[in-house]
Amino acid sequence: MEKLSYMKELVGRLNEASMIYYSKGSEIMPNIEYDRLYDELLELEAQTGVVLSNSPTQQVGYEVLSDLPKERHPQRMLSLDKTKEVSALEEWIGNHEGLLSWKLDGLTIVLTYEGGRLSKAVTRGNGEIGEVITENARQFANLPLSIPFTGKLVLRGEAVITYSDFHKINETIEGIDAKYKNPRNLCSGSVRQLNTKIAKERNIRFYAFTLVMAQLPENAENEENAEKPASGSMPGSMPGSLPKEGFRLRSEQLGWLRAQGFEHVEYVRVTRENLSQTVSSFAEKIVTYDVPSDGLVLTFDDIEYGKSLGTTAKFPRDAIAFKWRDETKETKLLEIEWSASRTGLINPVAVFEPVELEGTTVSRASVHNVSILRELKLGIGDTVCVYKANMIIPQISGNLTGSNNVEIPQTCPVCGRKTALRNENGVVTLICENPECPAKQVKAFAHFVSRNAMNMDGLSEATMEKLIDRGLIRKFADLFRISQFEKEITEMEGFGEKSFRKLCEAVEKARNTVPARFLFGLGIPGIGSANAKLICRHCGNDWARIQNLNTSELVEIEGIGEIMAENYVAYFSDEKNRKQLEELLAEIHFEEIHDEVENNRVLEGKTFVITGSLEHFENREALKELIERLGGKAAGSVSAKTSYLINNDNTSNSTKNRKAGELGVPVITEEEFLELAGKAAGGPSGNDELEGPA
């Protein structure tokens, strides 16, 4: 009875965590802890012979809760069995050939094409019933809406948001850390939006992994492509046809899908002999891989052999998932810091004795929210297990002591006013209710003076906190009057005459700025650096137009959604904001932007990645800004979409250079970039208009 009672407890905890993770895009339990409890439940079910009806071991997806239309899948979609042992993969593959591919960490989607056009898209849902998201799927960045094949095609794949896009979205959406902790959660929420414009803005991508069915239209002839295609590829002359004898190999199917215009998961053909080496190769890649992945998938290449194995109640037998065995270290929890943000959230951060993980030293890990803090039963002095999620992000996976003695602060660590616990979608967070909390002000001021905004060098958060605490600055305009407080500032710890002079020089330099930097610095919810540039460019950098845009005008600007527009208009409509803005505008001067540069979109359609040190530009942000002003895009990692990698050491063996070499992406120096931009603009190499500050 004791085991059965514990099993019921496990089922309840796992189901709650799964529902919140899959349906609501939030977390109350680390993934590694979920896996541990899941394995524990499996073992108890094997020991007792009891499987509860609502056990997660019998479920394959999330409970469908949204207002999207629902649809039952023609056949139940199963999840995959999993292992963390390479030896288990070797035993599983036996003497057969297989395909080893990324296990992408997004949302599984089933697509149907009829007559050569996308007719339906459905999420996996709970494996039996999914949600119809056809209109949102039409917004996926890389999904073909029409294909050469005119019969009925059904395929499965994963919708994902890349890490680079995730970071860009985090920059532009105020308070997103309260709702989305990783690209998978953001993708899930984006795919299942009722507003298709939001799905479009999130740059969701689709990678196919399974061809379910390809049926020729009635009375269609298939004579041209009667020859059986070579393994892993399809004849390119007739992409709308099928091989006469059907597909024998999964690699053939993926090759055919590629010919239809789909991107598919990256895979490597493997046998028992090269499996371990191939897994190691994937493990090396994941550190810089831009598409979220939480493991690998191994399938039999021979389709008929895989089908002959059948399925279990939950798993197909023709595929198995490999989950990374995270390097885990035990360490001592020293304290929990409570970090206040300008959104009002107060997030717990674990500080522990430093440990080496995946080649680096870590001593801190975000605990994200109060729900996870409670789930881990954290206490000062506890022995905790630390790992890097997907070999990248430090996380606490478990607590060996479980003293559970961390007290939730009753007052804000910054302003001392009362805090409150908020339960939103089952996730408990701590907030400061004081609208005048200096933490909110400190973060807002730090944002205003940051590099991409007003760029006031020397005004760190610590310095800002001291200035606010002493009442020297209360609003943005006060920053430009800081010279009158020489005595007070030079007497501050860490400050002297030299520091004060540098601070005043930085403030004076910041008086001359451009509208995009100023707009971004105001901290309007949803208006990040990229969106600020879009808005200002749309208005010809006329500040009067910029601050008086209405909602309908804003949503006409590509990349600006309704929520962003509403926040924008609300900010400029607020009487207090307008008064402070008027005072602030009296302190600054907008530099004239030369039309020949601003309106010259010579880099339109080109994507650049920057690495290494720079000679002609003050920093990477300055070079990125020029690329964007000339119509190009600046990305964080090299991919097949990259046009050029900018690296002054174009012979280096860096990760980005190697990736560029693999993909055939040209590596150019700064000089070559300036020549490219200068020639395209009709000017000489090194044109003063094109160069950044020396």
Side-chain angles (χ1 to χ4, degrees):
M1 287 299 292
E2 190 174 321
K3 284 186 177 180
L4 185 59
S5 177
Y6 182 53
M7 286 170 65
K8 289 179 180 178
E9 179 188 338
L10 284 178
V11 166
R13 291 170 65 188
L14 289 168
N15 282 343
E16 181 186 14
S18 182
M19 184 272 292
I20 289 173
Y21 182 77
Y22 285 104
S23 292
K24 299 180 179 178
S26 300
E27 295 178 12
I28 59 170
M29 181 186 299
N31 284 342
I32 197 168
E33 174 70 1
Y34 181 93
D35 288 343
R36 184 186 70 77
L37 295 178
Y38 182 94
D39 291 341
E40 191 175 350
L41 178 60
L42 271 178
E43 187 175 339
L44 285 169
E45 288 177 345
Q47 289 176 8
T48 61
V50 175
V51 179
L52 299 169
S53 61
N54 61 338
S55 171
T57 66
Q58 306 304 303
Q59 308 298 322
V60 295
Y62 59 83
E63 181 183 354
V64 179
L65 293 175
S66 79
D67 293 326
L68 290 166
K70 314 299 187 295
E71 182 169 301
R72 184 174 295 276
H73 296 295
Q75 60 187 81
R76 191 166 181 242
M77 293 179 64
L78 304 176
S79 56
L80 296 179
D81 198 1
K82 65 181 185 294
T83 182
K84 292 187 177 182
E85 305 294 339
V86 175
S87 58
L89 292 182
E90 292 173 332
E91 183 179 346
W92 186 89
I93 197 70
N95 297 321
H96 297 274
E97 288 190 345
L99 303 183
L100 189 66
S101 62
W102 294 111
K103 182 178 181 292
L104 300 184
D105 194 17
L107 196 66
T108 300
I109 307 292
V110 184
L111 300 178
T112 301
Y113 286 75
E114 295 177 283
R117 298 190 65 80
L118 176 65
S119 60
K120 186 166 56 181
V122 185
T123 66
R124 187 178 74 167
N126 62 12
E128 294 183 357
I129 298 174
E131 296 160 310
V132 180
I133 50 99
T134 310
E135 292 308 312
N136 283 345
R138 295 185 198 279
Q139 314 306 319
F140 292 176
N142 65 335
L143 189 67
L145 298 182
S146 59
I147 58 175
F149 182 69
T150 57
K152 183 174 182 179
L153 171 67
V154 181
L155 70 152
R156 294 175 187 166
E158 200 81 356
V160 298
I161 290 177
T162 63
Y163 283 112
S164 53
D165 283 328
F166 173 69
H167 294 314
K168 287 179 184 176
I169 292 167
N170 261 350
E171 179 187 310
T172 61
I173 299 179
E174 183 73 22
I176 195 168
D177 56 345
K179 296 182 180 179
Y180 302 109
K181 302 301 180 187
N182 52 54
R184 195 264 170 226
N185 289 354
L186 178 57
C187 182
S188 176
S190 302
V191 167
R192 299 164 62 225
Q193 283 284 339
L194 297 178
N195 183 350
T196 58
K197 189 173 177 66
I198 295 175
K200 181 178 179 65
E201 291 168 354
R202 300 285 167 83
N203 202 29
I204 302 161
R205 306 187 71 81
F206 176 85
Y207 293 93
F209 57 67
T210 298
L211 172 61
V212 179
M213 180 183 74
Q215 185 180 73
L216 286 167
E218 290 184 16
N219 303 321
E221 294 185 7
N222 202 28
E223 299 172 357
E224 295 282 350
N225 199 14
E227 290 292 324
K228 190 169 186 295
S231 176
S233 65
M234 290 297 299
S237 58
M238 293 293 292
S241 56
L242 289 169
K244 187 175 181 180
E245 297 177 4
F247 297 103
R248 185 176 64 85
L249 304 176
R250 287 189 180 277
S251 49
E252 292 175 352
Q253 291 182 333
L254 292 175
W256 184 78
L257 286 173
R258 188 167 61 248
Q260 301 306 308
F262 296 100
E263 291 187 55
H264 60 67
V265 291
E266 178 187 342
Y267 70 86
V268 176
R269 296 190 69 176
V270 293
T271 62
R272 184 174 190 143
E273 285 67 35
N274 72 344
L275 189 52
S276 178
Q277 180 183 349
T278 308
V279 170
S280 298
S281 175
F282 273 102
E284 290 176 8
K285 285 183 179 180
I286 196 172
V287 178
T288 56
Y289 193 52
D290 199 30
V291 181
S293 166
D294 58 354
L296 304 172
V297 174
L298 179 60
T299 59
F300 290 112
D301 198 15
D302 188 318
I303 296 170
E304 288 306 315
Y305 176 74
K307 285 182 178 177
S308 72
L309 299 175
T311 67
T312 68
K314 186 178 181 184
F315 307 120
R317 289 196 173 100
D318 64 345
I320 187 171
F322 174 79
K323 301 279 281 186
W324 303 113
R325 180 173 286 283
D326 300 291
E327 181 184 7
T328 304
K329 294 283 183 70
E330 293 180 13
T331 186
K332 182 180 179 181
L333 182 65
L334 301 177
E335 64 175 308
I336 294 290
E337 290 183 356
W338 293 89
S339 176
S341 73
R342 66 189 180 110
T343 64
L345 283 172
I346 305 175
N347 297 319
V349 178
V351 181
F352 43 81
E353 291 181 349
V355 290
E356 289 286 327
L357 282 175
E358 312 290 354
T360 61
T361 302
V362 296
S363 59
R364 302 166 63 87
S366 173
V367 188
H368 300 305
N369 53 54
V370 174
S371 290
I372 292 179
L373 181 83
R374 289 171 172 172
E375 177 68 31
L376 290 169
K377 297 181 179 178
L378 293 178
I380 307 306
D382 282 354
T383 300
V384 295
C385 299
V386 184
Y387 75 108
K388 281 188 177 180
N390 289 337
M391 304 183 182
I392 300 172
I393 305 168
Q395 301 279 290
I396 293 178
S397 62
N399 185 355
L400 302 182
T401 314
S403 61
N404 200 26
N405 64 21
V406 173
E407 294 185 6
I408 309 299
Q410 299 295 308
T411 57
C412 173
V414 176
C415 71
R417 296 278 289 274
K418 188 177 179 182
T419 60
L421 291 173
R422 176 187 293 163
N423 190 323
E424 185 175 342
N425 290 334
V427 179
V428 180
T429 56
L430 184 68
I431 62 167
C432 173
E433 296 183 308
N434 177 15
E436 304 299 325
C437 176
K440 298 175 184 178
Q441 291 180 295
V442 168
K443 297 293 184 182
F445 274 94
H447 177 77
F448 182 75
V449 304
S450 65
R451 178 182 291 177
N452 289 341
M454 300 302 286
N455 195 22
M456 293 186 185
D457 191 32
L459 274 170
S460 65
E461 277 196 30
T463 300
M464 205 74 69
E465 189 172 345
K466 292 175 183 177
L467 295 174
I468 291 172
D469 285 347
R470 286 164 175 74
L472 303 182
I473 56 173
R474 297 181 182 277
K475 47 188 180 294
F476 291 157
D478 292 338
L479 288 165
F480 295 96
R481 304 160 187 155
I482 211 153
S483 58
Q484 63 184 298
F485 299 114
E486 180 177 1
K487 182 176 184 297
E488 292 89 336
I489 293 175
T490 53
E491 290 177 355
M492 283 167 41
E493 184 181 351
F495 260 82
E497 291 290 342
K498 187 176 180 181
S499 299
F500 177 73
R501 282 198 306 272
K502 282 188 175 181
L503 180 59
C504 290
E505 287 170 5
V507 169
E508 288 305 308
K509 184 180 177 181
R511 287 185 188 276
N512 296 304
T513 188
V514 294
R517 283 179 172 272
F518 182 72
L519 178 60
F520 171 61
L522 295 178
I524 302 169
I527 306 302
S529 178
N531 286 333
K533 291 172 185 175
L534 286 172
I535 292 169
C536 292
R537 189 176 295 127
H538 176 80
C539 294
N541 292 294
D542 179 349
W543 185 257
R545 283 185 63 195
I546 291 167
Q547 72 174 18
N548 289 299
L549 287 169
N550 59 41
T551 305
S552 59
E553 289 172 325
L554 282 160
V555 295
E556 290 300 316
I557 303 172
E558 186 172 354
I560 306 299
E562 290 182 13
I563 295 176
M564 290 184 199
E566 289 169 2
N567 288 335
Y568 187 98
V569 172
Y571 178 89
F572 286 108
S573 299
D574 184 88
E575 185 60 33
K576 181 180 176 182
N577 288 341
R578 292 186 74 90
K579 186 176 180 180
Q580 291 191 13
L581 186 60
E582 184 179 343
E583 190 177 351
L584 182 56
L585 287 169
E587 298 288 346
I588 66 165
H589 169 71
F590 287 129
E591 297 174 341
E592 183 179 350
I593 296 175
H594 298 291
D595 289 341
E596 58 266 30
V597 174
E598 186 65 16
N599 297 326
N600 197 340
R601 312 288 287 168
V602 295
L603 300 182
E604 193 85 54
K606 293 183 174 62
T607 299
F608 296 84
V609 174
I610 307 164
T611 190
S613 59
L614 298 173
E615 298 169 2
H616 292 274
F617 291 84
E618 184 180 14
N619 48 50
R620 290 185 187 180
E621 290 303 322
L623 177 50
K624 286 180 181 178
E625 185 173 338
L626 176 59
I627 290 169
E628 290 171 355
R629 284 173 65 194
L630 293 176
K633 292 183 179 179
S637 59
V638 178
S639 71
K641 301 294 185 182
T642 304
S643 305
Y644 297 96
L645 171 64
I646 301 174
N647 187 353
N648 284 324
D649 184 5
N650 56 11
T651 62
S652 79
N653 194 34
S654 68
T655 301
K656 287 180 179 176
N657 274 41
R658 291 200 305 271
K659 184 73 172 177
E662 292 171 8
L663 297 173
V665 173
V667 182
I668 61 175
T669 63
E670 257 180 294
E671 292 285 354
E672 289 170 318
F673 165 77
L674 289 169
E675 185 178 355
L676 174 72
K679 280 184 177 179
S685 173
N687 185 330
D688 288 343
E689 283 297 342
L690 296 178
E691 286 202 30

